[in-house]
Amino acid sequence: MQPGGHASWLKGVIEVPEWVHIIIRTLISFCAMFVFARLIGKRQLSQITFFEYIVGIAIGDMAAIIPDELDAPLYHGLLPMAVYTALPIALSWVALKSKSARDFLEGHARVLIRDGKILEDNLKKERMSTDELLEHLRSKNVFKVADVEFALMESNGTVNVLVKSEQQPLTPKRMGLQVPPEVEPQAVIMDGQIMDEALATIGFNRAWLKTELEKQGVAVENVFLAQVDATGQLYIDVYEDKLKIPEPQTLPLTNITLKKAQADLESFALATADVQAKRMYTEAAERIQQVIDKVGPYLTR
Amino acid sequence: MTIAQQVKTTLASLKSAQANLESFALATQNKQAKQVYTQAAQTTQSVVDQLQQRVGQLEKEEPTYKGF
């Protein structure tokens, strides 16, 4: 490098050694890249399209110009970076507003299997071989093409599979079971500290927590993590891993008590000779059975 | 165990289950769960009442075991 050969905005102000110049420019390009990356959005790498991927590389390349070409003014790097950031944002805004623009810009999913039949033409259009298709299916835990009802390739290249209904996992809905709504549990103790906010959210206070801890014979300081679920059951993990803390049993115990009482009532009904008492026992047994049917799902989770 | 004693045992466990159901109803924040628990507690309470009557009858029939 000849002295004075690199005219720069910084050199004009104060004389700095070249290495300081490089560091400053690197920091600027680093910060600019960070800002532009945040502007582009927070989508995961696996969700971006190929185009967005290339745009990312291009921006990175321009960022490299800033510390590399000391002669060039800063905006030679920053300006194209800004344009390259603005364009995808503008395009994604257009895509958000119009369906046809979306299809053009982001591509659309292509059906590979419909009604259990492989669509060979679409496979060809995606340039996918039979082996690749099978590989994609296997990655979705489908080993038999016969199990597939519907499969499509998303615009980002992943293959999603809908298996036939008889192959789908059993859910309470399919079983016709009524189950209680799931409510997120709250962590009420973390690292021995009581979380008052979480405790209030789930509708309890410190006094309640103290009582529950006493019931299980644990001091707050020894608790690594404690969670309360919607039914007010407290699950505790203590620092000492050898210590066994019993899981709360009130819910299942109540279920069992009810079941036993129901069986007792039935046997009383059989045992008694008194017609009126027999009728009363049978009716009581039926009502307890109704209670078990209704409340059972809430007690056995 | 006589029948009266057996019925009393069942009555006791039903009472405990009923009390548990009521405390679950109080503890839960979920409206639907609260309703289910409350209804279950009410039904159980009515059965408890019936059994209580029956225990009274049995005690009359077998006065020896009164109070056991």
Side-chain angles (χ1 to χ4, degrees):
Chain A
M1 288 272 167
Q2 321 127 325
H6 30 82
S8 122
W9 63 276
L10 229 144
K11 288 262 174 173
V13 185
I14 29 162
E15 201 65 25
V16 286
E18 196 176 38
W19 63 272
V20 177
H21 196 183
I22 292 178
I23 289 180
I24 292 173
R25 275 178 163 253
T26 310
L27 286 176
I28 291 173
S29 92
F30 181 83
C31 294
M33 211 153 61
F34 178 76
V35 170
F36 290 138
R38 290 304 293 262
L39 283 177
I40 283 185
K42 55 171 102 160
R43 272 204 270 180
Q44 297 291 315
L45 206 58
S46 61
Q47 288 173 320
I48 64 175
T49 60
F50 183 62
F51 177 66
E52 287 168 309
Y53 174 65
I54 308 175
V55 167
I57 294 176
I59 291 178
D61 200 40
M62 288 158 199
I65 292 177
I66 297 174
D68 193 41
E69 293 182 14
L70 296 176
D71 292 343
L74 267 181
Y75 72 84
H76 277 198
L78 289 181
L79 201 61
M81 275 173 89
V83 174
Y84 251 85
T85 311
L87 273 179
I89 296 175
L91 285 182
S92 67
W93 187 81
V94 171
L96 208 62
K97 293 289 168 194
S98 142
K99 169 72 178 146
S100 47
R102 188 153 62 230
D103 283 345
F104 175 70
L105 290 170
E106 297 181 355
H108 46 85
R110 205 185 294 275
V111 180
L112 299 179
I113 300 178
R114 176 177 280 142
D115 299 333
K117 303 235 185 314
I118 300 175
L119 305 178
E120 293 81 6
D121 289 343
N122 284 356
L123 220 57
K124 239 177 244 159
K125 279 180 198 153
E126 292 293 347
R127 291 188 301 280
M128 186 189 273
S129 69
T130 326
D131 282 321
E132 272 178 288
L133 176 67
L134 288 176
E135 196 181 315
H136 278 297
L137 292 183
R138 281 196 295 269
S139 73
K140 295 284 174 186
N141 250 341
V142 179
F143 285 77
K144 273 189 342 199
V145 182
D147 292 346
V148 181
E149 177 71 42
F150 183 78
L152 50 70
M153 188 182 221
E154 307 289 354
S155 49
N156 66 2
T158 54
V159 172
N160 283 327
V161 178
L162 177 72
V163 289
K164 289 195 170 137
S165 42
E166 67 263 25
Q167 297 288 341
Q168 278 170 18
L170 206 53
T171 56
K173 193 181 169 191
R174 280 176 181 273
M175 291 282 288
L177 289 179
Q178 257 218 334
V179 286
E182 200 59 63
V183 183
E184 80 281 8
Q186 297 280 350
V188 292
I189 302 179
M190 281 182 188
D191 305 317
Q193 300 286 319
I194 297 180
M195 306 279 121
D196 285 303
E197 206 185 311
L199 208 52
T201 311
I202 205 153
F204 294 110
N205 54 25
R206 272 171 181 254
W208 173 85
L209 187 58
K210 290 252 164 67
T211 328
E212 288 296 311
L213 285 175
E214 259 170 42
K215 270 194 219 164
Q216 308 206 16
V218 188
V220 185
E221 310 83 79
N222 298 335
V223 178
F224 175 63
L225 181 74
Q227 267 191 324
V228 181
D229 69 9
T231 54
Q233 306 277 294
L234 187 69
Y235 296 86
I236 297 178
D237 185 84
V238 290
Y239 282 111
E240 183 54 68
D241 287 335
K242 278 185 190 132
L243 212 62
K244 282 218 172 80
I245 302 283
E247 272 188 32
Q249 291 293 340
T250 354
L251 287 177
L253 202 62
T254 308
N255 197 25
I256 292 167
T257 315
L258 281 172
K259 277 186 182 163
K260 183 172 182 307
Q262 197 271 342
D264 282 349
L265 288 170
E266 274 185 352
S267 70
F268 295 153
L270 286 175
T272 183
D274 187 338
V275 182
Q276 204 190 338
K278 199 188 262 299
R279 201 186 307 135
M280 188 279 285
Y281 283 135
T282 316
E283 202 240 343
E286 270 165 22
R287 266 162 55 200
I288 294 296
Q289 185 58 52
Q290 281 167 14
V291 170
I292 294 171
D293 289 343
K294 268 204 111 168
V295 91
Y298 289 79
L299 296 176
T300 48
R301 53 170 154 173
Chain B
M1 260 206 314
T2 65
I3 270 292
Q5 280 170 317
Q6 284 176 19
V7 175
K8 274 182 195 170
T9 319
T10 305
L11 179 60
S13 51
L14 265 185
K15 273 183 185 167
S16 120
Q18 196 270 344
N20 276 347
L21 287 174
E22 272 186 2
S23 75
F24 298 152
L26 284 177
T28 185
Q29 296 290 306
N30 183 279
K31 267 202 187 121
Q32 196 191 332
K34 208 183 253 297
Q35 197 196 347
V36 169
Y37 283 136
T38 317
Q39 263 178 17
Q42 277 166 3
T43 317
T44 315
Q45 182 58 50
S46 70
V47 174
V48 167
D49 292 342
Q50 274 185 333
L51 269 194
Q52 194 90 56
Q53 270 182 12
R54 179 64 188 158
V55 167
Q57 279 177 5
L58 286 173
E59 276 177 348
K60 238 184 262 168
E61 285 166 20
E62 319 172 49
T64 344
Y65 300 105
K66 196 169 171 134
F68 279 94

